[in-house]
Amino acid sequence: MSATTTADSEQAAGGDSEREHDEETEPATALVDVTTRETNRWRGVTALSLLAAAAGIASTSPAALLLAVLGVAYAAYGALFDAPSPSLAVERTIDAADPEPGDEVEVSLSVTNEGAFLPDLRVVDGVPEGVDVVDGSPRLATALRAGKTATLRYTVEMRRGEHDFDGVQVRARDVAGARETEATVRAASSVASVPDLPELDAFPLRDQTVQRVGRVPTSQGGSGVEFYGTREYRTGDPLSRVDWTRLARTGDLSTVQYREERAATVVAVVDARDAAHVADADGEDAVEYGVEAAGGVASALLDAGDRVGVAAFGPHWEWLAPGSGRDHRARLRDALARRRGFAALEPERRFLGALVFRRLRKHLPADAQVVFCSPLADDNAAAYVRRLEARGNPVTVVSPDVTGAETLGQQVARVERAARIRSLRRAGVRVVDWPVERSLPVAVATASRGWSQ
Amino acid sequence: MSEFDARPPSLAVAPAAVAAALVVLPVAAGSTVGLVLAGPGVAAVVYGAHTATRSYVTLGGALAFLGVAVAAASGLPTALALPAGVAALVAYDTGEHAVGLGVDVGADATVAQSVAVHTAGSVTVASLAAGLGYAVYQFGPTSLPVTGLLALLFASVFLAYALGD
C-alpha cells in the first residue's frame, strides 16, 4: 500500500486500527521562518582586483590590469541578483502499512517549484530522531526550473514507536551565491510501528494478591489444586472435600483444603530516567530492553488473568492503570509502543525525581505488585526499589544487563551493578538478571528456578 | 543512524579541481614566481573543497589569483594570464560552492544539477568579462594616454566601491 501524507493530514498506519490514505491530498506550500542573508562569499574580490591593478600599474603589464577587470566583473556578478523568494510545494510519501520494528520503509519527498527559476536549491527532509536512514540521503541540492519537480528518495529503518516527520528545510541561493533564503516548509506526516507484546509464557510473582481468582498461589487454604492442609469439618463444607480416608481411620470428620490461587494487580514500571538511557555493545538503549521486559511481563500476566498496568518512571511520566482483558491488552501494547515516556530517546525534560516518585506512589494501588524494569545503572534505581518495597508494594526487578567488560570503566560499572543486585536480593527483592544476548524467557526461567529452591 | 558526512560529494569538487589544473598549466609555462604562489593556492582550494574547510578555499583562492597577477606582472603573455585568472576565480567559486553543499547536504546527496548550473554561471561571467576586456585591449585605441588610463582606474575603483557596499 502506498500512503500519501502531507501537511495537516497526519497518517499513522499501525496497530489494529490500520487506516488507508490513498487519496491525493494538497501538498504543503506554506513557507515559515523565512530568513534572507548575504553569504559574503564575494567579499574581498574587489580588493584582489585592485591589487592586480596595482601590480599592473607598477609593472606596466596590460595582462595584470586586465585581471583587475575580472575581479570587478565578479563583484558586479555578486551584486546583480536579489535573494530568491522560493515558492515551493512539498509532498511526502511514506510507503508503509503497519511496519514492524526493523522493517525498511521507503520515503520520497517531492519538491515542486511554483515560482521563478531557482538556480541553487537545497532541501533537507526532517527525518525523525528515532529512525535511521539506511539507504539514500534525505538531502538534495538541485537547480529547479519553474513548474518542475525534484524528488528525493531514501529508506529508513523503522524502530518501535510513533515517528513524526518534521518540516522540510529549504535553502535557495541566487546563481552567484551571494544571497540566500532559508525557510521551512511545514509537511507533517507520521509513521508508527507498534510491535506485538513479546512472548513470555509465565512470570512468577511475589505472594501479594487481590480478592480475585487467579493463578498466584497464596498461603490460604480454600478451593484450589495443590494440597494445603486439613481442618475440622464445618457445616456447609462440600462433601467432595471431606477426607474420607481419615474418617474411616479415626472417625473424625475433616475437610481437605487446597492452596487458594488468586489474581494479582501488577504494575510494570519502566525505568526511563536519564541514567537508564545507557547503551549496550550494539548501541541498543537499555530502555528498549526495559520496554521489552515490561511488554513480556504484561503479556504473561494478562494471559494468567492478572490485572496489569504500566508506567514510565522518567522525565516523561506515563501511566496506564492496571486492567485486564483484550481491550486493555491492546491499549497497553499501544502505550508501550507509542508514548514518549517509553521511547528509547534521550529525554527532553529535566527529571524531578521526588515529584515523579510521589506521582508513582499516588497512582500505585496499595495492593499492587511492582515489576521494575531497569538496567540498575545507578544507585538511585536501587533506592527507588527499596522505597517501593518499604511502602508495601512487593517489587520484582527485571534488569537487562547492558554492561560491557572491555574497558576498566565498563568493568567498574559491571561490578557496581552486581553489587546493587546483591544488596537488593539481600533486602528480599527478587531480581531477574537478564543478560541481553539471551532471551527474556530464558532469563526469567533461570531466575525463577533460583527462587523456588 | 548513518552518520551525516558533512563533506561535499566528489562531483561537486570536480569543477574546482579542473579549474585548478587550468590555473597551474598556463602559470607554469611562464612564471616561476607566480607558480610558487598559485600552485599552493589552488592545491589549498581543492583540499579545502574536498574536506569542506572554507578558510582553505578562501585563502587558497586569493593566493591563486595573486599568483596569476604576479605572473602577469612578471611577463606572462595576456593570452595565458587571462585564462589562468578566469580559472583561479572559477576554482574559488566552485570550491566555495562545494563547501556549502557539503555543509548543507553532505556527501551522500544528489547535487549534479546544482553544481552544473553554478559552474556554468561562474564560467560564463568570467569568460564574458575576460573576453570583453581582451577585445577592448586588442582592438581598442592603441595609444591610450596616461590620463585616460588613470581615469579608467578611478572609474573602476568607484565602481568597485559602489558594488562593494
Side-chain angles (χ1 to χ4, degrees):
Chain A
M1 185 198 82
S2 170
T4 300
T5 60
T6 50
D8 306 321
S9 75
E10 202 164 273
Q11 183 258 340
D16 300 324
S17 58
E18 184 182 309
R19 283 172 286 161
E20 296 208 344
H21 281 239
D22 275 346
E23 75 274 20
E24 286 292 314
T25 38
E26 279 299 304
T29 52
L31 266 67
V32 290
D33 301 336
V34 183
T35 51
T36 301
R37 66 160 174 274
E38 307 262 336
T39 57
N40 290 330
R41 64 199 296 265
W42 291 117
R43 200 163 64 178
V45 73
T46 317
L48 276 182
S49 74
L50 289 181
L51 269 176
I57 301 281
S59 64
T60 62
S61 151
L65 268 179
L66 279 175
L67 282 178
V69 175
L70 285 182
V72 175
Y74 264 101
Y77 180 47
L80 204 57
F81 305 99
D82 278 336
S85 48
S87 170
L88 301 167
V90 168
E91 196 170 12
R92 189 187 289 112
T93 310
I94 302 170
D95 193 10
D98 194 10
E100 286 291 311
D103 280 4
E104 295 193 346
V105 171
E106 198 168 283
V107 182
S108 73
L109 183 81
S110 303
V111 181
T112 306
N113 184 5
E114 296 187 330
F117 170 58
L118 294 170
D120 189 351
L121 177 70
R122 291 141 197 213
V123 180
V124 180
D125 197 4
V127 181
E129 201 188 338
V131 299
D132 292 347
V133 177
V134 291
D135 191 26
S137 170
R139 295 153 180 264
L140 170 77
T142 187
L144 209 54
R145 274 182 290 154
K148 293 285 176 188
T149 302
T151 305
L152 67 93
R153 288 192 182 79
Y154 57 96
T155 309
V156 294
E157 188 180 315
M158 283 307 295
R159 304 197 55 180
R160 176 182 61 84
E162 184 159 354
H163 307 287
D164 297 322
F165 284 77
D166 266 349
V168 180
Q169 302 276 337
V170 293
R171 179 179 278 184
R173 278 187 172 192
D174 67 53
V175 67
R179 284 173 195 81
E180 64 183 19
T181 303
E182 212 176 285
T184 308
V185 189
R186 290 255 171 272
S189 40
S190 76
V191 60
S193 174
V194 182
D196 287 331
L197 291 179
E199 286 291 319
L200 188 63
D201 288 338
F203 187 81
L205 283 171
R206 305 277 296 273
D207 48 12
Q208 176 154 319
T209 52
V210 292
Q211 293 296 322
R212 279 176 71 233
V213 174
R215 292 197 194 169
V216 182
T218 59
S219 52
Q220 273 178 312
S223 56
V225 184
E226 191 190 342
F227 177 76
Y228 176 70
T230 54
R231 64 162 165 74
E232 195 177 293
Y233 177 81
R234 290 185 206 141
T235 328
D237 281 348
L239 282 181
S240 64
R241 302 252 303 271
V242 170
D243 190 352
W244 296 108
T245 340
R246 185 167 179 174
L247 180 66
R249 199 163 58 233
T250 63
D252 293 335
L253 204 54
S254 59
T255 303
V256 177
Q257 281 192 310
Y258 297 94
R259 193 179 288 276
E260 203 158 78
E261 292 177 339
R262 297 257 180 86
T265 297
V266 180
V267 175
V269 179
V270 178
D271 184 2
R273 298 166 305 127
D274 300 73
H277 284 280
V278 285
D280 69 354
D282 300 330
E284 188 73 286
D285 198 320
V287 172
E288 190 68 45
Y289 292 117
V291 170
E292 188 186 334
V297 167
S299 157
L301 296 180
L302 283 172
D303 286 347
D306 296 311
R307 292 162 56 79
V308 184
V310 283
F313 184 66
H316 299 266
W317 162 257
E318 304 288 357
W319 171 257
L320 182 69
S324 53
R326 273 171 69 91
D327 287 356
H328 185 74
R329 191 190 175 93
R331 263 200 303 279
L332 199 143
R333 171 185 162 204
D334 209 58
L336 279 179
R338 286 182 197 247
R339 291 207 193 158
R340 178 64 181 86
F342 297 110
L345 301 171
E346 284 293 317
E348 288 155 9
R349 296 185 204 151
R350 225 154 59 84
F351 177 61
L352 304 167
L355 198 77
V356 177
F357 189 71
R358 205 177 310 142
R359 200 178 285 166
L360 175 66
R361 277 198 318 206
K362 208 178 85 193
H363 281 80
L364 212 55
D367 54 4
Q369 299 199 27
V370 172
V371 177
F372 194 70
C373 307
S374 163
L376 294 177
D378 65 337
D379 288 333
N380 284 348
Y384 286 124
V385 169
R386 281 202 200 85
R387 284 168 69 181
L388 283 173
E389 181 85 20
R391 186 182 171 256
N393 296 108
V395 183
T396 307
V397 177
V398 180
S399 179
D401 181 8
V402 294
T403 57
E406 279 169 24
T407 66
L408 195 62
Q410 288 174 345
Q411 285 167 8
V412 170
R414 168 170 282 209
V415 170
E416 281 183 344
R417 181 175 168 279
R420 272 174 219 125
I421 291 179
R422 263 202 307 280
S423 82
L424 281 178
R425 281 182 175 153
R426 264 204 303 276
V429 176
R430 284 176 171 179
V431 181
V432 179
D433 187 4
W434 172 24
V436 291
E437 61 275 5
R438 284 200 276 164
S439 72
L440 178 63
V442 172
V444 171
T446 313
S448 47
R449 242 199 328 273
W451 298 334
S452 57
Q453 278 165 6
Chain B
M1 182 150 194
S2 53
E3 281 299 311
F4 174 62
D5 186 2
R7 286 181 311 165
S10 340
L11 180 70
V13 187
V18 171
L22 291 180
V23 174
V24 172
L25 287 179
V27 174
S31 163
T32 325
V33 193
L35 188 65
V36 168
L37 287 174
V42 289
V45 170
V46 175
Y47 178 75
H50 180 65
T51 55
T53 327
R54 190 167 267 126
S55 51
Y56 281 13
V57 175
T58 311
L59 288 177
L63 209 59
F65 189 76
L66 276 182
V68 176
V70 167
S74 60
L76 191 69
T78 313
L80 287 180
L82 264 185
V86 168
L89 283 166
V90 170
Y92 163 73
D93 189 13
T94 52
E96 204 274 346
H97 184 248
V99 172
L101 287 180
V103 172
D104 282 355
V105 298
D108 301 324
T110 320
V111 294
Q113 283 202 32
S114 169
V115 170
V117 169
H118 190 87
T119 308
S122 188
V123 169
T124 310
V125 167
S127 312
L128 267 181
L132 269 176
Y134 192 67
V136 170
Y137 167 69
Q138 278 296 40
F139 309 111
T142 45
S143 60
L144 204 62
V146 181
T147 43
L149 192 67
L150 274 180
L152 255 179
L153 202 61
F154 273 118
S156 66
V157 171
F158 272 117
L159 177 62
Y161 175 74
L163 291 172
D165 64 357

